[in-house]
Amino acid sequence: MSNIQNLKIEQSDLKKSSFKDLSLVKNMIFWVDTISHEKSNKNAIFTRPFNDKKAIPQQLTGDNFYIKSNFHGYGGKSYQCLEVHDQIYLIWIDQISQALWLQVFGVKDVIPKNNNDYLLCDAKPKQLTESLGINFDTTFVINKNNLLYGLCEINNKDYLFSLNLQKTKQKICKIKEFDNFAGNLSSNKQCSLFSWIEWTSDCMPWEKNDLFFASINNEGEIQKITKFSNKIINKEKNVSFFQPYWISENFLVCSEDSTGWWNLCFLDVSDLKKIVLKKRIVKSFAEYGTPQWISGISLFGGTINNFFCVAKKGNFWALEHYQDFSFVQELKLTFSQISDLDVFDQKIVIRGNSFESFDYLLECNFEDETHLQLSKNVFFESLNEYSKPESFWFKGFNNQPTHSFIYKPLFKKFIKSPLIVKAHSGPTACFDGSLNSEVQYWTSRGFTVAEVNYGGSSGLGREYRERLNYKWGILDHYDCKALVLDLIKLNIVDSTKVAILGNSAGGFTAINALCEGELFKAAVCKYPVIDLNEMHHKTHRFEKGYLNSLLGSYSKFSNEYELRSPINKINQLKKPILIFHGKKDLVVSYKTTLTIKEKILNNNKNSEVIFFENEGHGFKNKDTKNQVLFKTKEFLEKTLNI
């Protein structure tokens, strides 16, 4: 039986552990994984020894928690694991109790081989805060007096706060109220210097943010708040700083995109009155950062003696090693996408995907040269039969070079294959060519699949990302159309059998594409953005200013919000469309889709709108995903006459 016959719809079926929210402390790795509990999906934090893939994971948190962050709406890393006085402090956000929790563990001198009791704990977990209903970030800092510092969001305001780790069920102590958004809190080891980033509500953090520093006195009071300014980097430019990280008591590294690419920047913070740019690593076509949709993204770690980072270079990632600000070596990774990276001493853990593997955990130790086998390790658990992505450049909007991935049919079923065009969400996101079971599902049935990195996509530099400024709803579907025309000219696909698929912002692109001309014959959308006026007035706080760059300020360009909204083009939508939407969607209300349902069904007898009672913005339930895929298959077979 071939691998394609065995191919599962749900990628998580192919992996034993998700290794979500990966951390590395001492000789132990930590992650969050789902547990089965009374027919409801809850989760827990697990651990096992570093580089021991056969070790049985130890569950550290009980079955009565739902560990999740809602910081700034999209959340991010849901716990923090810190070494404090040779112990491991595990702090997590629980959505059931609406509180922060702490458990302290000791590490055994000898790792047991016959059981999974790797960490010692004599006390029960401690509920640190009252049930406050606060959105916490997990970039926590702990000082020598057992005070925890962190960032939180209360009633649409961000705060720097502190807690006493000796107390339980306490109120937070607010130290500073921020003007707008704040993120990425970090400190040096002595906890005497803090850093964080701030950005305003009229932009997104990858468009422009500011880097701040401050000192903390022995009483825990914040002092000498300083905004970093440098004539080379951000004096006269809109710059985005990414992951400020302390590599010693006085030196900090981050990445910033003043060159048009997120490049490394080392700062000397010995004197807050005179922060010195120690060194810049300037490289074009290399991204040491990524759009900060969620908190806790990590692409580098270590110390001044051994600093490690990953950078996206074209379609692949590279791991770089620095010592005392000097480049030591680069190791090419076969990852196409990286989710997590953490470093402890010279041990490194990386979670990501490749063109040939689903979620893979890479563990390497630069002390014993296991990194020399790096390039070989990442191909374990690959599928033998699959359609590989081919990087394909074409002329998009204004004849600009535009990127896509093409997946050819796994076998020839048609004289010319039907084409599925995929428009990614975001729209500040990208396709990276990672192995995707849904794409393989279609190519195994004779389809060609095209993933379009239309202008505005990330991973290709700031200039490419800013192509979409003021042109969302114009450029994105133009690029999708331009790609299809190129593929038709190359005699690769059947021009009478072209469909477009998109989720969220990708659904917005798909519907607009379907309304323009006769090229696309059908569309399938999940929770699509269809009303830009509603998005402006009702979207959640984090994305409130997103449309300013994509369309222009509402006060000046409200007419464009009307013209580009699919909800105002429904009368033009005569071709078949299939829409899926969850009734618990807090980003794009299903009620907007409900208002156009009747018109859509009347316009074309093959159109359909399906709602799911317990799904939100991004479907989680396996049964829902299966239903969506098989319903899509039936719809495309009917509407494309396959």
Side-chain angles (χ1 to χ4, degrees):
M1 186 177 289
S2 73
N3 281 314
I4 289 302
Q5 288 172 298
N6 284 328
L7 191 63
K8 302 294 184 182
I9 297 166
E10 180 59 34
Q11 294 185 17
S12 61
D13 288 347
L14 298 179
K15 52 195 179 183
K16 296 177 182 178
S17 297
S18 71
F19 296 111
K20 184 176 182 288
D21 292 352
L22 190 63
S23 295
L24 173 63
V25 178
K26 289 184 174 289
N27 199 43
M28 305 297 296
I29 66 169
F30 300 81
W31 70 94
V32 175
D33 218 334
T34 303
I35 56 174
S36 180
H37 181 73
E38 296 178 359
K39 297 183 179 180
S40 64
N41 284 330
K42 294 189 180 180
N43 57 11
I45 300 170
F46 292 83
T47 190
R48 71 155 168 83
F50 170 80
N51 216 11
D52 187 355
K53 291 179 171 62
K54 294 182 180 179
I56 300 170
Q58 177 184 2
Q59 184 175 330
L60 301 179
T61 54
D63 295 353
N64 55 330
F65 296 108
Y66 180 38
I67 300 167
K68 183 178 182 291
S69 167
N70 290 324
F71 191 59
H72 292 160
Y74 287 119
K77 194 167 185 177
S78 55
Y79 75 97
Q80 183 66 280
C81 197
L82 299 167
E83 182 187 19
V84 181
H85 309 306
D86 291 324
Q87 294 179 304
I88 293 176
Y89 279 43
L90 189 63
I91 307 144
W92 66 91
I93 304 166
D94 175 43
Q95 294 299 329
I96 296 175
S97 61
Q98 293 283 292
L100 276 184
W101 289 74
L102 165 70
Q103 189 139 23
V104 180
F105 296 92
V107 181
K108 291 184 177 180
D109 294 331
V110 179
I111 300 295
K113 292 188 176 181
N114 298 323
N115 63 61
N116 63 342
D117 293 329
Y118 312 116
L119 300 185
L120 303 169
C121 184
D122 297 327
K124 292 181 179 180
K126 180 189 296 185
Q127 183 177 334
L128 290 175
T129 64
E130 296 178 339
S131 298
L132 300 170
I134 293 173
N135 289 334
F136 289 103
D137 188 20
T138 58
T139 53
F140 300 124
V141 170
I142 298 175
N143 74 0
K144 61 184 178 181
N145 297 323
N146 254 358
L147 286 179
L148 176 144
Y149 297 90
L151 301 174
C152 68
E153 181 182 27
I154 307 172
N155 296 327
N156 293 326
K157 279 282 189 179
D158 285 4
Y159 298 89
L160 174 68
F161 73 92
S162 68
L163 291 171
N164 187 330
L165 294 181
Q166 304 299 322
K167 297 180 180 180
T168 61
K169 297 185 178 180
Q170 62 197 290
K171 296 184 185 303
I172 66 167
C173 175
K174 296 177 184 175
I175 298 173
K176 174 178 171 55
E177 178 182 327
F178 295 99
D179 293 334
N180 284 285
F181 290 96
N184 287 107
L185 178 70
S186 61
S187 80
N188 59 1
K189 196 167 184 178
Q190 291 183 3
C191 206
S192 59
L193 292 171
F194 281 11
S195 62
W196 64 86
I197 61 171
E198 294 184 36
W199 65 99
T200 57
S201 57
D202 61 349
C203 66
M204 303 302 285
W206 55 83
E207 294 171 345
K208 181 185 184 302
N209 62 35
D210 292 303
L211 175 60
F212 284 84
F213 294 91
S215 62
I216 300 289
N217 65 18
N218 292 331
E219 286 71 44
E221 298 169 333
I222 192 166
Q223 298 177 325
K224 301 177 183 176
I225 296 176
T226 304
K227 183 168 79 170
F228 174 69
S229 179
N230 181 277
K231 63 181 180 181
I232 297 175
I233 295 176
N234 66 333
K235 194 96 172 187
E236 299 175 356
K237 295 180 181 178
N238 288 343
V239 171
S240 172
F241 293 93
F242 178 86
Q243 197 190 342
Y245 180 88
W246 294 85
I247 55 175
S248 75
E249 293 306 320
N250 295 315
F251 287 101
L252 176 137
V253 64
C254 63
S255 61
E256 51 81 19
D257 66 350
S258 61
T259 64
W261 301 83
W262 270 300
N263 283 176
L264 290 180
C265 168
F266 296 91
L267 302 177
D268 182 348
V269 200
S270 302
D271 183 355
L272 285 178
K273 294 180 180 178
K274 189 179 180 182
I275 299 170
V276 177
L277 177 59
K278 175 72 177 178
K279 188 172 185 177
R280 296 172 80 205
I281 311 294
V282 178
K283 296 181 182 180
S284 297
F285 309 105
E287 292 273 48
Y288 296 78
T290 188
Q292 304 96 317
W293 278 103
I294 59 174
S295 68
I297 304 171
S298 175
L299 296 184
F300 32 85
T303 66
I304 192 171
N305 297 322
N306 285 290
F307 172 72
F308 300 92
C309 61
V310 288
K312 190 175 190 296
K313 301 182 177 184
N315 293 333
F316 290 94
W317 289 76
L319 174 64
E320 295 182 350
H321 182 197
Y322 292 81
Q323 291 181 330
D324 297 321
F325 312 111
S326 297
F327 176 78
V328 176
Q329 61 181 318
E330 175 185 288
L331 294 168
K332 185 177 179 181
L333 305 173
T334 52
F335 289 119
S336 54
Q337 181 264 340
I338 287 178
S339 306
D340 292 295
L341 174 145
D342 205 1
V343 178
F344 193 87
D345 292 334
Q346 295 190 59
K347 302 180 184 71
I348 303 170
V349 290
I350 302 173
R351 181 176 73 100
N353 300 302
S354 77
F355 300 139
E356 299 183 327
S357 300
F358 291 121
D359 258 6
Y360 185 83
L361 175 64
L362 177 66
E363 303 166 75
C364 56
N365 191 342
F366 276 68
E367 289 179 322
D368 61 13
E369 298 188 345
T370 57
H371 65 281
L372 297 177
Q373 301 297 318
L374 208 55
S375 61
K376 298 177 183 178
N377 289 342
V378 294
F379 288 106
F380 295 168
E381 301 179 283
S382 297
L383 295 175
N384 294 323
E385 298 176 33
Y386 57 93
S387 179
K388 294 182 180 180
E390 298 177 19
S391 200
F392 184 87
W393 289 84
F394 62 97
K395 289 184 178 180
F397 192 80
N398 285 341
N399 286 322
Q400 293 174 302
T402 306
H403 182 259
S404 68
F405 285 108
I406 307 298
Y407 300 80
K408 292 179 180 176
L410 195 59
F411 57 89
K412 192 163 184 177
K413 185 177 178 181
F414 308 95
I415 297 174
K416 289 184 182 179
S417 68
L419 173 64
I420 289 176
V421 175
K422 296 187 70 179
H424 62 68
S425 59
T428 309
C430 69
F431 288 115
D432 52 39
S434 294
L435 189 61
N436 180 289
S437 55
E438 184 180 322
V439 169
Q440 300 303 319
Y441 178 87
W442 296 115
T443 58
S444 70
R445 284 155 177 79
F447 285 78
T448 294
V449 177
E451 296 177 330
V452 190
N453 282 322
Y454 51 79
S457 302
S458 57
L460 296 159
R462 179 181 272 266
E463 184 179 341
Y464 194 103
R465 205 167 65 238
E466 290 182 344
R467 286 185 192 178
L468 199 60
N469 285 4
Y470 308 109
K471 297 182 182 68
W472 191 38
I474 299 173
L475 179 148
D476 45 322
H477 66 79
Y478 181 97
D479 283 354
C480 292
K481 179 181 177 181
L483 172 61
V484 174
L485 292 174
D486 262 22
L487 296 178
I488 292 171
K489 286 178 186 176
L490 293 171
N491 212 29
I492 293 175
V493 299
D494 187 338
S495 63
T496 68
K497 294 176 171 39
V498 181
I500 184 166
L501 277 62
N503 309 340
S504 190
F508 169 85
T509 300
I511 298 174
N512 278 332
L514 196 64
C515 290
E516 301 280 339
E518 298 301 318
L519 189 62
F520 294 100
K521 310 304 179 186
V524 181
C525 305
K526 301 174 195 170
Y527 34 89
V529 174
I530 58 176
D531 188 344
L532 296 174
N533 279 310
E534 182 184 60
M535 187 176 179
H536 168 74
H537 290 293
K538 296 184 179 179
T539 193
H540 60 123
R541 176 182 174 233
F542 179 71
E543 291 190 76
K544 189 71 175 175
Y546 196 14
L547 297 180
N548 289 335
S549 61
L550 296 174
L551 298 163
S553 66
Y554 189 77
S555 59
K556 291 183 180 179
F557 297 99
S558 60
N559 60 317
E560 293 296 324
Y561 286 64
E562 291 281 346
L563 290 171
R564 301 186 205 177
S565 292
I567 196 169
N568 298 320
K569 303 177 183 180
I570 297 304
N571 291 333
Q572 301 169 233
L573 196 57
K574 303 298 183 182
K575 285 172 283 188
I577 183 169
L578 173 61
I579 298 178
F580 302 98
H581 213 138
K583 290 189 175 182
K584 291 188 176 180
D585 194 330
L586 300 179
V587 179
V588 179
S589 173
Y590 82 94
K591 292 180 180 178
T592 311
T593 300
L594 190 62
T595 62
I596 64 170
K597 178 180 177 179
E598 188 175 344
K599 277 189 179 181
I600 285 175
L601 300 183
N602 289 335
N603 284 351
N604 190 291
K605 65 179 182 180
N606 291 320
S607 292
E608 196 168 351
V609 179
I610 298 172
F611 296 104
F612 297 103
E613 291 292 333
N614 295 309
E615 293 287 0
H617 200 73
F619 298 156
K620 304 295 184 185
N621 186 275
K622 181 180 176 180
D623 291 337
T624 301
K625 293 178 181 180
N626 289 351
Q627 185 179 342
V628 167
L629 187 57
F630 288 119
K631 193 71 182 177
T632 301
K633 175 178 175 290
E634 291 177 356
F635 173 77
L636 293 182
E637 287 175 344
K638 182 190 296 183
T639 56
L640 300 182
N641 296 315
I642 294 172

